[in-house]
Amino acid sequence: MTQQQVIANWGNYPQLSAEVDELGLLPDVQNYLQQQSPLTLRGNGRSYGDASLGKQVFSTLKLNKFLDLNTESGILTCQGGVLLSEILDVILPQGLFLPVTPGTKFITVGGAIASDVHGKNHHKEGSFSRHVLSFDLMLADGTILTCSRQENQELFWLTMGGMGLTGLILSATFLLKKIETAYIRQTCIKARNLAEIMDLFESSTDWTYSVAWIDCLATGEKQGRSLLLLGEHATLEDVSPNQKANPLEIPQKRKLNIPFYFPRFALNGLTVKAFNTLYYNKQWAKESQSLISYDPFFYPLDSIYNWNRIYGKPGFVQYQFVLPKETSKDGLSEILTTISQSGQGSFLAVLKLFGKGEPEAWLSFPMEGYTLALDFKVQPKVFELLEQLDRLVLKYGGRLYLTKDARMKKEALQNYPHLEQFKQSLPPGFTSHLAERLELTINNKQ
Amino acid sequence: MTHTLILGAKSDIAQAIAYQFARHGHSLTLAAREVDLLDPLAKDITIQHQQPVHLREFDGLDFASHGEFYENLPEKPTVVVCVFGYLGDQKQAEGDFAETQRIINSNYTGAVSIINLVAQDLEQRQNGTIIGISSVAGDRGRQSNYIYGSAKAAFSTYLSGLRNRLVKSGVHVITVKPGYVATRMTANMDLPQPITASPQQVATAIYNAYRSKTNILYTLWMWRWILLIIRSIPEGIFKKLNL
């Protein structure tokens, strides 16, 4: 179904006019790919910037079929347009869970691979690619190749974190993890400053899940004050007798919606600062324990539909970088100082300690060290600030996450050591606004 | 467990119907040309709704094969949904009888050929529902699609008579007139949004009609009134309209 429309990703910035097509039957898809080139592939549009935007867009949302689920071995095969939320609906009642999940469940499996997404368990269990056994990739000429660590290895690794530029992920096979309950045993610890939160992260690496909410506007001795959330899948022994009766079932909660775009003045330095202080102080005790359902633990913002609208019509950009562990302390401190001085604070920012990255996936984002993700409302002066931050990130040996990006210059990619090889190896036929901005698809121009 | 047979299962409407019935506990046989293409759909329904799904090759235009097709079904259905049809090209059909014949056979003759067999079986078993997807285009002939429309008119008349015949055997017949639906078949048409249904809306309406034993279903309520008006325009005026 062809439709000319204005599309944007989750940050609502940029917004571009595109022709979007959606097909579900294999021969139709094959025909279409052979006719359209270069083509941009798009899942559920939950990347933040311009990664899945382009003039000619193929939406994978009709490639939404489950193909095989082995509950014994915990291996799932499904088409590339299936959403993680749909997977959870099917696997959770069977005592299975996603091996890795980002902070929203409304992304497609194809998107999870193309962005090589990470979650709160990265330090222990790596990014999504680590759990993928194989996938079927359709190239621009309609050829279908099965890719795995043993077969078509080069394409397998190019596609992991490859931003959808190698081909269309028709289906993927990956490992799920077994769980006893749908609950998470959570511990929340308050940290007064950056040094304390970093110590806490480094002494909590045994926990499967860890993440911190950090107040980016706090300065001086309070710089880096944060709440560290640690979690483990609750076992049957951890839950109450009531919950034990139906351990894999969670009572449905009503969802909130942001029905309209907030006006420009709604978020300003004062309201954000007040919110952050309230959030930090919502817990008095140094440490607290609780048992919560998996949904608010993994997807706190998914329960508010269209939360991106609080940033108003012009949208927002998300900024996520990672610094090597050795330079993290100095780097984070300088970056946080720069942000608080600019007064363009983000709501809450998310801090996490990554484990080792995937060196063979050349454009995969994670590497060992600290990653910080924060939102900025789109306004004229924000771009200048972000370029200033880019320079700091590069200075400390860090890099930016393409899936969040809408504005960086190609020079900011220099700490992806295999960038040139990636560009040279990319099969032709696919593109995106992001790829053109960063000149990734040089093979299309020949 | 109720077994439902969907004829012409590849269309967007048919796929939505398959999910709707599976969600409500029906096992399925999906029948279509190149039915292998529906393999992902069958697996998906089985995994998501724990319902067995069979695939059977079926060609509505190959009348001679219908007997054997019905005979060899893995399970005899209690609900049969006849979705297949062909919009065709009115302009081409005006000067090309082969196209005209294809439109008539896809929308009428083929449907009658297979439903005749279904009707005999259900009548004998004294139980079941036959759901035929006809069209509002059959309610009055218009210059823009009267060949398709007349075939659908014939199909609606057939279903009406069949309903009359089978009521005493406890078999119910539903005539569905979907109006505009946003599907692959209509992808290149500029349809007015407020009176265009999604395949899912059509499927939900059909399932509800099945449960409540509706006779004639307009899937969006507006269409009943639109057609009432269209039907009541005197022919003398109607023939001059550009419809």
Side-chain angles (χ1 to χ4, degrees):
Chain A
M1 222 168 293
T2 303
Q3 266 184 314
Q4 191 70 35
Q5 52 188 251
V6 174
I7 52 171
N9 289 329
W10 191 239
N12 267 320
Y13 173 86
Q15 303 182 11
L16 296 172
S17 174
E19 190 169 294
V20 184
D21 293 279
E22 214 174 67
L23 298 163
L25 293 180
L26 208 56
D28 298 347
V29 176
Q30 213 153 13
N31 255 331
Y32 181 81
L33 256 66
Q34 284 162 348
Q35 280 160 25
Q36 307 290 347
S37 176
L39 186 64
T40 298
L41 301 172
R42 180 176 173 80
N44 202 30
R46 285 299 186 111
S47 63
Y48 284 70
D50 53 356
S52 60
L53 304 182
K55 290 185 193 76
Q56 186 70 46
V57 174
F58 179 84
S59 161
T60 65
L61 292 179
K62 275 202 173 162
L63 291 170
N64 59 349
K65 310 287 185 287
F66 287 78
L67 301 179
D68 189 46
L69 174 63
N70 185 329
T71 50
E72 283 297 302
S73 58
I75 294 176
L76 172 69
T77 303
C78 66
Q79 290 185 325
V82 175
L83 298 178
L84 299 191
S85 59
E86 295 166 335
I87 294 179
L88 283 171
D89 287 344
V90 168
I91 64 172
L92 206 73
Q94 312 271 2
L96 294 164
F97 199 73
L98 296 164
V100 163
T101 175
T104 175
K105 56 181 182 288
F106 300 121
I107 67 161
T108 62
V109 167
I113 291 174
S115 290
D116 192 15
V117 297
H118 56 268
K120 297 171 172 59
N121 56 347
H122 186 274
H123 60 285
K124 256 191 129 165
E125 295 168 328
S127 51
F128 198 78
S129 58
R130 194 178 292 181
H131 310 272
V132 176
L133 301 176
S134 69
F135 55 79
D136 279 1
L137 190 73
M138 190 186 280
L139 303 179
D141 64 2
T143 318
I144 300 171
L145 293 175
T146 299
C147 305
S148 69
R149 285 174 181 77
Q150 293 80 36
E151 200 180 345
N152 296 309
Q153 300 95 321
E154 192 190 24
L155 262 180
F156 180 82
W157 287 113
L158 271 179
T159 304
M160 292 297 177
M163 302 309 287
L165 298 171
T166 56
L168 173 63
I169 297 165
L170 291 174
S171 65
T173 299
F174 54 97
L175 276 165
L176 305 168
K177 67 159 74 173
K178 298 206 168 154
I179 52 171
E180 288 182 21
T181 76
Y183 295 88
I184 298 289
R185 192 159 52 79
Q186 176 183 276
T187 291
C188 178
I189 309 172
K190 241 168 145 172
R192 281 165 304 191
N193 54 41
L194 194 59
E196 201 173 313
I197 186 68
M198 291 178 79
D199 283 347
L200 279 169
F201 263 119
E202 272 149 64
S203 59
S204 314
T205 47
D206 283 349
W207 286 80
T208 305
Y209 299 106
S210 68
V211 70
W213 295 93
I214 178 167
D215 178 355
C216 286
L217 298 184
T219 53
E221 277 178 14
K222 289 184 190 155
Q223 182 180 68
R225 71 173 174 183
S226 25
L227 294 175
L228 176 68
L229 299 177
L230 302 167
E232 289 294 340
H233 288 285
T235 61
L236 283 171
E237 274 118 67
D238 295 327
V239 299
S240 71
N242 257 347
Q243 293 163 337
K244 208 169 177 170
N246 285 306
L248 295 163
E249 229 171 84
I250 302 281
Q252 287 289 320
K253 268 200 188 146
R254 213 164 64 95
K255 295 216 168 177
L256 298 171
N257 186 17
I258 307 285
F260 53 82
Y261 287 97
F262 275 25
R264 224 166 266 263
F265 58 83
L267 285 190
N268 57 47
L270 275 179
T271 53
V272 173
K273 210 163 189 164
F275 177 86
N276 280 357
T277 303
L278 275 174
Y279 192 87
Y280 179 73
N281 287 317
K282 79 172 184 172
Q283 174 180 329
W284 284 109
K286 178 81 188 158
E287 189 174 325
S288 74
Q289 257 108 28
S290 51
L291 189 72
I292 64 174
S293 109
Y294 76 94
D295 209 59
F297 182 78
F298 290 105
Y299 314 111
L301 288 171
D302 279 351
S303 61
I304 309 167
Y305 279 129
N306 300 314
W307 66 261
N308 53 345
R309 288 182 179 168
I310 64 169
Y311 289 99
K313 276 230 171 76
F316 70 103
V317 285
Q318 185 162 95
Y319 192 76
Q320 182 169 2
F321 63 86
V322 56
L323 300 180
K325 212 167 167 186
E326 315 81 65
T327 63
S328 283
K329 184 131 197 231
D330 295 343
L332 282 171
S333 173
E334 189 170 351
I335 289 169
L336 287 172
T337 306
T338 310
I339 293 169
S340 64
Q341 278 169 357
S342 78
Q344 301 186 55
S346 140
F347 239 101
L348 284 169
V350 174
L351 182 71
K352 155 131 200 89
L353 174 60
F354 277 155
K356 291 214 180 341
E358 298 290 334
E360 287 171 287
W362 289 332
L363 243 59
S364 173
F365 167 67
M367 65 176 178
E368 194 166 22
Y370 282 86
T371 181
L372 182 69
L374 48 158
D375 304 338
F376 292 94
K377 191 159 76 159
V378 168
Q379 44 191 337
K381 54 184 179 170
V382 82
F383 295 101
E384 206 181 307
L385 169 68
L386 294 180
E387 287 197 13
Q388 203 181 340
L389 298 184
D390 288 352
R391 285 190 291 274
L392 291 173
V393 169
L394 289 178
K395 180 174 103 181
Y396 287 100
R399 61 194 190 199
L400 301 175
Y401 190 10
L402 291 179
T403 300
K404 305 283 179 84
D405 180 59
R407 35 65 47 193
M408 76 161 105
K409 303 231 159 54
K410 66 175 197 286
E411 291 73 26
L413 285 171
Q414 59 180 258
N415 288 332
Y416 282 95
H418 300 285
L419 180 67
E420 280 312 311
Q421 281 155 285
F422 177 84
K423 290 188 201 174
Q424 298 296 344
S425 316
L426 216 49
F430 297 95
T431 188
S432 68
H433 195 264
L434 175 132
E436 273 157 45
R437 180 164 56 80
L438 297 171
E439 295 174 24
L440 298 175
T441 43
I442 47 173
N443 288 347
N444 279 345
K445 299 214 167 72
Q446 286 157 6
Chain B
M1 189 160 53
T2 317
H3 190 69
T4 293
L5 167 65
I6 300 179
L7 299 160
K10 239 161 39 191
S11 75
D12 292 335
I13 293 179
Q15 294 188 21
I17 293 170
Y19 278 97
Q20 188 67 21
F21 278 77
R23 203 172 289 133
H24 288 92
H26 290 232
S27 60
L28 302 172
T29 295
L30 306 179
R33 275 180 291 151
E34 304 174 286
V35 77
D36 291 350
L37 294 177
L38 292 179
D39 193 46
L41 182 90
K43 288 173 169 162
D44 187 55
I45 292 175
T46 305
I47 294 171
Q48 288 212 57
H49 302 298
Q50 288 85 49
Q51 294 303 334
V53 181
H54 308 284
L55 298 179
R56 281 293 180 277
E57 191 69 23
F58 171 74
D59 183 352
L61 292 178
D62 185 4
F63 314 139
S65 69
H66 291 179
E68 201 187 330
F69 162 80
Y70 196 74
E71 203 51 46
N72 292 336
L73 282 177
E75 192 175 340
K76 286 286 172 285
T78 318
V79 180
V80 176
V81 195
C82 182
V83 193
F84 68 87
Y86 173 58
L87 187 57
D89 184 331
Q90 168 71 25
K91 274 274 154 265
Q92 190 197 330
E94 285 168 15
D96 171 6
F97 186 66
E99 174 74 356
T100 298
Q101 204 170 18
R102 196 171 151 185
I103 295 174
I104 295 171
N105 285 347
S106 305
N107 294 298
Y108 182 58
T109 326
V112 169
S113 161
I114 180 68
I115 296 180
N116 270 356
L117 300 169
V118 173
Q120 295 297 97
D121 179 37
L122 295 189
E123 187 178 44
Q124 201 178 12
R125 285 155 55 200
Q126 301 268 303
N127 176 26
T129 304
I130 296 170
I131 304 172
I133 312 294
S134 190
S135 169
V136 295
D139 281 19
R140 192 160 193 180
R142 294 176 295 132
Q143 58 175 310
S144 57
N145 69 352
Y146 64 85
I147 294 178
Y148 173 77
S150 61
K152 286 296 195 187
F155 187 40
S156 294
T157 306
Y158 169 85
L159 291 171
S160 156
L162 189 66
R163 175 158 48 242
N164 193 204
R165 164 188 153 199
L166 293 179
V167 66
K168 47 192 168 298
S169 322
V171 176
H172 184 59
V173 177
I174 304 174
T175 310
V176 184
K177 300 183 178 180
Y180 295 141
V181 187
T183 63
R184 289 202 304 164
M185 185 169 95
T186 60
N188 298 318
M189 294 161 68
D190 192 17
L191 302 179
Q193 197 108 59
I195 54 170
T196 301
S198 67
Q200 184 51 53
Q201 270 175 308
V202 175
T204 309
I206 287 174
Y207 183 78
N208 293 341
Y210 156 70
R211 293 306 302 264
S212 62
K213 291 189 182 287
T214 304
N215 296 311
I216 298 176
L217 169 70
Y218 290 87
T219 53
L220 288 183
W221 62 269
M222 296 84 92
W223 280 99
R224 184 178 293 274
W225 302 101
I226 294 170
L227 269 301
L228 187 67
I229 294 164
I230 288 182
R231 276 196 308 262
S232 55
I233 300 171
E235 191 67 15
I237 297 170
F238 193 78
K239 73 179 183 187
K240 291 180 187 143
L241 298 178
N242 191 18
L243 288 166

